């Protein structure tokens, strides 16, 4: 399973990249705004900065909600850097835009996916990734991981090439559940990735090894 980090914070992206297991980055308008990125020039520059830190795919979301605007922005974003994946919402205009961009050989990530039906249409339009939002479904008393399982089964059954990118991952256990469900990618906060390493027996064992190693001097 691939690991993406879900942030627009350059320090966190660098830290995740330095860990050596990072496969890409996802951003969204909320994450960009959180970093204080304002204005078209600054937005485009920030995406290039991210691409220059990581080796893998970098999702950059269109701000338009209408087809024409999505196309215009999508072409502009894709021209920025070969690692850019154009992120488009799971709406009627979005599906049409994914179809158009796919035909132009531009990678896409269909975002705000909350149902198998939305994922099916995105896959049929040729999306590179679909992003079901696990945490936001859980927040609404709906099993987010069950949706990942459903979409993985559907894509396997019909041999869709679209990758399941589990998004809105809130904690380490979500990552393990995504592995069990067969997600292709999990995009997570860095803290959730680091949580995979956390185990008290590792800490206790290491402390003992360090203590005993001093007897060997
Ligand atoms: O990038 C989309 C998604 O990961 C957002 O997560 O925590 O805002 O639901 P969250």
């Amino acid at each position: 399973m691939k690991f993406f980090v879900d942030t627009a914070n350059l320090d966190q992206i660098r830290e995740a990249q330095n860990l050596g297991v990072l496969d890409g980055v996802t951003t969204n308008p909320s994450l960009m705004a959180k970093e204080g990125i304002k204005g078209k020039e600054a937005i485009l520059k920030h995406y290039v900065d991210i691409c220059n830190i990581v080796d893998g795919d970098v999702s950059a979301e269109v701000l338009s909600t209408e087809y024409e605007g999505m196309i215009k922005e999508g072409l502009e974003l894709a021209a920025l850097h070969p690692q850019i994946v154009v992120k488009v919402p799971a709406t009627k205009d979005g599906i049409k835009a994914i179809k158009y961009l796919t035909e132009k050989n531009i990678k896409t990530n269909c975002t705000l996916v909350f149902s198998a039906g939305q994922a099916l249409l995105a896959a049929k339009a040729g999306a590179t990734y679909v992003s079901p939002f696990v945490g936001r479904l859980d927040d609404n008393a709906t099993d987010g991981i069950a949706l990942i399982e459903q979409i993985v089964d559907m894509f396997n059954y019909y041999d869709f090439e679209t990758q399941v990118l589990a998004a809105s991952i809130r904690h380490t256990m979500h990552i393990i559940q995504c592995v069990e469900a067969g997600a292709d990618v999990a995009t997570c906060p860095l803290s959730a990735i680091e949580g995979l390493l956390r185990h008290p027996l590792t800490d206790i064992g290491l402390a003992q090894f360090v203590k005993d190693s001093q007897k060997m001097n």
Side-chain angles (χ1 to χ4, degrees):
M1 189 177 72
K2 287 189 270 187
F3 280 122
F4 289 180
V5 72
D6 195 28
T7 181
N9 182 284
L10 297 183
D11 289 337
Q12 280 195 20
I13 293 168
R14 263 185 222 105
E15 206 177 325
Q17 175 67 21
N18 288 340
L19 195 58
V21 297
L22 190 69
D23 300 296
V25 174
T26 51
T27 63
N28 62 39
S30 307
L31 294 171
M32 292 286 281
K34 195 172 156 195
E35 298 308 313
I37 318 294
K38 269 188 193 166
K40 189 173 166 183
E41 207 177 311
I43 293 170
L44 300 184
K45 181 187 176 301
H46 201 77
Y47 290 138
V48 174
D49 288 346
I50 295 174
C51 290
N52 288 334
I53 295 172
V54 300
D55 299 322
D57 285 347
V58 173
S59 285
E61 190 159 342
V62 297
L63 305 179
S64 307
T65 55
E66 310 298 328
Y67 172 73
E68 296 296 341
M70 287 178 181
I71 294 304
K72 191 169 170 284
E73 274 185 66
L75 292 172
E76 204 167 5
L77 288 169
L80 278 179
H81 198 282
Q83 285 166 241
I84 291 285
V85 175
V86 180
K87 204 172 178 187
V88 178
T91 59
K92 199 169 167 181
D93 285 27
I95 295 298
K96 283 163 65 183
I98 287 168
K99 177 79 180 170
Y100 177 91
L101 294 168
T102 301
E103 281 170 358
K104 297 275 177 205
N105 287 319
I106 291 170
K107 288 195 211 175
T108 56
N109 174 0
C110 185
T111 189
L112 291 167
V113 167
F114 293 96
S115 74
Q118 291 172 323
L120 175 63
L121 288 180
K124 283 185 73 72
T128 314
Y129 300 101
V130 290
S131 290
F133 277 31
V134 173
R136 291 193 197 183
L137 280 168
D138 287 359
D139 290 344
N140 284 277
T142 304
D143 187 348
I145 294 294
L147 178 62
I148 300 292
E149 289 168 356
Q150 193 181 19
I151 297 171
V152 167
D153 285 350
M154 176 172 68
F155 286 4
N156 285 341
Y157 188 84
Y158 289 107
D159 281 334
F160 282 121
E161 284 177 19
T162 303
Q163 296 177 56
V164 181
L165 194 171
S168 188
I169 297 296
R170 300 281 173 73
H171 49 73
T172 302
M173 202 51 210
H174 268 158
I175 301 178
I176 301 297
Q177 290 169 320
C178 284
V179 169
E180 288 169 347
D184 298 285
V185 190
T187 188
C188 331
L190 181 59
S191 58
I193 299 175
E194 288 173 342
L196 292 167
L197 282 170
R198 202 171 303 134
H199 201 290
L201 291 178
T202 303
D203 299 339
I204 292 167
L206 185 60
Q208 188 65 50
F209 286 154
V210 168
K211 198 174 161 202
D212 290 343
S213 71
Q214 284 156 6
K215 296 176 192 164
M216 297 162 63
N217 288 330

